[in-house]
Amino acid sequence: MSAHMDVKRALWQTFLESAKPTLDQWLTQLEQPQSTQERALLRLLEANSDCAFGRAHHFARLHDSTQFRDNVPIHDYAQLQPWIERAQNESEAILTSSPPLFFERTSGNSALQKAIPYTRAFLAEMHSALTVWLADMHRQVPGISHGSSYWSMSPPLQMPVAGPNGIRIGSASDLAYLHGSHLAGLAGTLLIPEFSGELSQWRRQTLLALLADADLSFISVWSPTFLTSLLQPLFDGETPEHVQTFAWLEAALPASRQSALRRARSQGVCTELWPRLAAVSCWMEGPSRHYFTQLAVRFPQTQWLPKSLFATEGVVSIPFGDGPGCPLAIGSHYLEFLCEDGALRHSHSLRLGETAQVLLTTGGGLYRYALGDRVRVVGMSGATPRVEFVGRATGTSDLVGEKLDEQTVQNLFDRCLATRGAACLIPNAYASPPHYTALVATSRHLDASALALTIETALSDAFHYCLARRLGQLGLVQVRLLDGGADQLAHVLQQAAELSGIRAGDFKPRSLINRLETAEALLALTESSCRHL
């Protein structure tokens, strides 16, 4: 065993020893979800009773979850945004008694980009969840500690800037999330590729760093399409760009790794590239299931571990234990759930088979925040429900993290088309790479190529759509022109809805088709009848 590997095992061992109290506490919490959640809520109310939001909502007078629900309304980002803007501009304590360390950028349903406050308390909540996840992952697959780890890190498209009150907006690196915790010690196990500032070079440098490391033992990404896209030049010799990248990689590697690279290409799998690769962790549920299944073929020797529902705004579930789904993160934030029948449930009262939207209350200053994600209860860990991610709430599409919402798409069509309501955007989830197709009904001649460029430019205003495109996780938007006007489009949409199992009277035409079964039917219906880009 090399000294290099000895160091990484020692770092993991140090982490596991420091994680034991957190893990023991978590095991107790799983058996007591109701009291655990109630205590978490009361801590948050007490800690933030003196901030502007706490005073406005009478936190000091709230003593249980029922009073909290009665005094604090459910918020989406648009409703919370005025408070967040105050926290970015004023020196007074606005959302939390302690000021944010920084605001992290993300995109959402009602705005192209959101700013989520990160406080010390919120990071501690996230650290607890990450500690449980990593410790249990090591229990399942000890081999992840035997070499290097790669945690997907993409270059920041927007550098951090200081807000009006001096609080930073944006983080320079994903490693900032680990600051101040014993998790930071695991940074010494990470393979961290260089970033030169040019995105195409970043992709090459990342792939080169991975290929150069024969001792890679663990890969953690969010979307499986990220890794699929990254590896594409190894297995796709059809495009000049991929041919050029493969030649560049081959020339940059030592002879032993060149041989492994050539064998991987000829065999179509990564086994000889990374013989110690013990596990890959990624999203494996909802819209990601198809992409994960395709990617897993490249790694026949590797164990696949699910990602749970971690979002910029908070953590909903934690990969832990055996069985389907992941247990709710009851020890991190306070969680509520809006069921499809309109009922509001707490973590302990969710029933097997129920599907619900997630509401988060966190130490970062999000209170009864509608995350926009839907989960389904698929099992139990002790007395705590295990859930799996179903998808985004109605009106959004999120194949690889682009998080498009219907209002954004409708606004886009209003700008790009002369006739309103005569177009819809369709996710082509099973293409490689996935992409969106704009179906435009028109009775006049349109330049499909120019229209596609216009729509692509407008879509790229959405932060995470732009990121997914630049990382190669999404392909260019395509355009299909449907002869006729809005009536013809409505007819085709209705056909697709019924073919995909929606009752005829229940279908509502939308500018964004977010149900994948309907999208697939719509693409099949229009494949031969439309003029394509």
Side-chain angles (χ1 to χ4, degrees):
M1 185 187 302
S2 69
H4 172 79
M5 293 170 63
D6 279 340
V7 169
K8 297 191 185 314
R9 287 195 183 191
L11 290 171
W12 268 98
Q13 190 57 43
T14 299
F15 162 73
L16 292 170
E17 290 170 1
S18 64
K20 190 174 186 309
T22 302
L23 200 56
D24 290 344
Q25 182 183 41
W26 166 251
L27 292 171
T28 300
Q29 290 170 339
L30 287 176
E31 300 294 342
Q32 303 168 357
Q34 185 174 6
S35 59
T36 297
Q37 282 280 275
E38 202 73 22
R39 285 195 299 269
L41 175 61
L42 293 179
R43 281 196 302 269
L44 287 170
L45 294 176
E46 182 179 1
N48 298 303
S49 60
D50 289 334
C51 70
F53 189 97
R55 291 193 300 271
H57 294 86
H58 313 295
F59 279 10
R61 302 205 303 260
L62 307 183
H63 302 295
D64 58 38
S65 56
T66 300
Q67 293 177 349
F68 176 64
R69 180 190 63 202
D70 291 343
N71 282 270
V72 181
I74 294 171
H75 296 87
D76 60 21
Y77 185 79
Q79 293 163 325
L80 202 61
Q81 189 171 12
W83 292 95
I84 291 175
E85 289 177 348
R86 285 186 61 187
Q88 291 177 314
N89 286 277
E90 300 177 21
S91 56
E92 180 191 354
I94 303 299
L95 281 164
T96 51
S97 296
S98 299
L101 300 174
F102 60 91
F103 292 86
E104 185 60 291
R105 300 181 180 106
T106 184
S107 65
N109 298 338
S110 57
L112 293 182
Q113 195 172 60
K114 300 183 288 187
I116 305 302
Y118 271 55
T119 63
R120 293 191 189 280
F122 178 68
L123 283 173
E125 294 167 354
M126 297 288 275
H127 292 160
S128 173
L130 287 167
T131 296
V132 170
W133 168 49
L134 290 169
D136 192 64
M137 188 162 53
H138 185 273
R139 175 192 65 82
Q140 293 186 64
V141 191
I144 63 173
S145 66
H146 295 178
S148 304
S149 299
Y150 173 67
W151 298 358
S152 64
M153 294 179 207
S154 50
L157 298 185
Q158 295 173 286
M159 294 306 294
V161 296
N165 61 0
I167 299 176
R168 193 172 76 247
I169 300 173
S171 61
S173 167
D174 294 341
L175 290 177
Y177 292 163
L178 306 184
H179 181 72
S181 79
H182 50 253
L183 289 158
L186 289 178
T189 70
L190 298 183
L191 184 159
I192 303 178
E194 296 179 1
F195 172 49
S196 64
E198 170 61 39
L199 190 63
S200 61
Q201 291 303 310
W202 169 83
R203 291 176 60 78
R204 279 187 171 191
Q205 290 292 342
T206 298
L207 188 51
L208 178 61
L210 288 168
L211 294 174
D213 192 343
D215 292 331
L216 187 68
S217 63
F218 175 50
I219 293 175
S220 174
V221 297
W222 292 108
S223 174
T225 61
F226 180 95
L227 188 54
T228 299
S229 174
L230 197 63
L231 297 175
Q232 203 166 17
L234 307 190
F235 302 107
D236 179 7
E238 298 297 321
T239 68
E241 180 186 359
H242 290 158
V243 171
Q244 183 185 50
T245 298
F246 188 89
W248 180 85
L249 291 166
E250 195 172 32
L253 290 168
S256 61
R257 300 304 291 158
Q258 287 178 356
S259 299
L261 177 61
R262 295 189 198 107
R263 289 194 297 272
R265 167 166 271 192
S266 65
Q267 296 166 3
V269 297
C270 297
T271 308
E272 293 195 44
L273 275 176
W274 301 298
R276 296 183 184 277
L277 187 63
V280 177
S281 173
C282 70
W283 289 330
M284 298 163 59
E285 301 166 349
S288 294
R289 194 183 307 274
H290 174 77
Y291 309 121
F292 144 68
T293 302
Q294 288 188 322
L295 180 61
V297 174
R298 301 287 189 196
F299 299 88
Q301 87 285 13
T302 301
Q303 189 163 338
W304 289 79
L305 300 172
K307 277 286 194 302
S308 58
L309 185 44
F310 271 81
T312 306
E313 297 93 331
V315 53
V316 177
S317 60
I318 303 175
F320 180 85
D322 303 315
C326 301
L328 293 171
I330 56 171
S332 291
H333 316 312
Y334 179 68
L335 305 170
E336 298 170 274
F337 300 88
L338 276 176
C339 295
E340 293 184 323
D341 61 2
L344 181 71
R345 301 207 191 282
H346 302 294
S347 297
H348 68 277
S349 60
L350 280 172
R351 301 167 184 165
L352 190 65
E354 281 189 318
T355 299
Q357 293 187 45
V358 180
L359 306 179
L360 285 176
T361 296
T362 76
L366 304 184
Y367 301 103
R368 308 198 74 207
Y369 176 79
L371 183 61
D373 288 326
R374 297 164 62 240
V375 297
R376 180 183 297 115
V377 182
V378 294
M380 299 292 290
S381 282
T384 299
R386 297 179 68 93
V387 300
E388 67 177 13
F389 174 67
V390 175
R392 299 287 291 172
T394 303
T396 64
S397 181
D398 194 17
L399 297 176
V400 297
E402 72 280 10
K403 302 178 186 176
L404 290 177
D405 66 85
E406 190 162 25
Q407 189 59 57
T408 297
V409 172
Q410 187 57 59
N411 291 342
L412 177 154
F413 284 140
D414 289 346
R415 296 197 310 272
C416 297
L417 302 173
T419 304
R420 293 190 178 190
C424 65
L425 194 66
I426 311 165
N428 193 333
Y430 303 111
S432 182
H435 62 264
Y436 283 82
T437 295
L439 180 61
V440 181
T442 178
S443 56
R444 58 191 182 88
H445 176 74
L446 289 178
D447 184 338
S449 179
L451 181 58
L453 179 60
T454 300
I455 293 173
E456 175 68 23
T457 301
L459 280 171
S460 294
D461 287 341
F463 177 76
H464 278 280
Y465 179 89
C466 181
L467 177 61
R469 282 285 298 117
R470 294 183 69 181
L471 294 179
Q473 293 176 270
L474 286 176
L476 278 165
V477 71
Q478 298 185 10
V479 166
R480 292 185 182 182
L481 299 178
L482 182 67
D483 288 330
D487 289 346
Q488 179 63 19
L489 179 61
H491 174 67
V492 173
L493 289 173
Q494 184 72 34
Q495 280 186 297
E498 294 175 26
L499 286 171
S500 62
I502 297 176
R503 290 190 302 178
D506 291 346
F507 175 68
K508 182 185 294 184
R510 295 185 177 278
S511 56
L512 175 63
I513 306 300
N514 65 327
R515 187 170 181 265
L516 293 185
E517 296 90 339
T518 305
E520 191 174 5
L522 191 54
L523 290 168
L525 277 173
T526 58
E527 173 63 32
S528 58
S529 61
C530 290
R531 292 171 280 150
H532 292 213
L533 167 64

